Amino acid sequence: MAEPSANGTAAKAGLVQTITGWILCVPIAFAFIMAGSGKLIGRPGMVEEFHQIGIGQWFRYLTGILEVVGAIGVRGRIL
């Protein structure tokens, strides 16, 4: 009889870990998406910032793509 109780406890612990993972990862993924999308759509502040850096606008696109891919990676990590 102790075995079903142990399985129930393990299932509850797994559920708690899953919920905790979502609570921690969703805001991180959201921040990455917001930062990356601002660069990709060409917000004037981002364009000016990368112009001041002097590397070129291609680096703004690269950074935006990497941030969006990072958000997808964070989401993939918790599934």
Side-chain angles (χ1 to χ4, degrees):
M1 283 310 228
E3 193 172 331
S5 177
N7 287 341
T9 304
K12 287 180 184 177
L15 180 63
V16 169
Q17 282 183 324
T18 301
I19 291 171
T20 303
W22 277 99
I23 290 171
L24 295 174
C25 290
V26 166
I28 293 169
F30 181 74
F32 272 92
I33 288 174
M34 294 304 293
S37 66
K39 291 174 181 71
L40 291 174
I41 65 173
R43 288 197 176 136
M46 289 288 109
V47 173
E48 179 62 29
E49 184 175 331
F50 280 85
H51 178 72
Q52 289 178 354
I53 292 172
I55 295 176
Q57 295 303 308
W58 67 270
F59 192 68
R60 175 175 57 92
Y61 288 113
L62 176 65
T63 306
I65 289 169
L66 291 175
E67 287 175 340
V68 171
V69 169
I72 294 168
V74 168
R75 185 180 179 275
R77 175 75 176 131
I78 59 176
L79 292 179

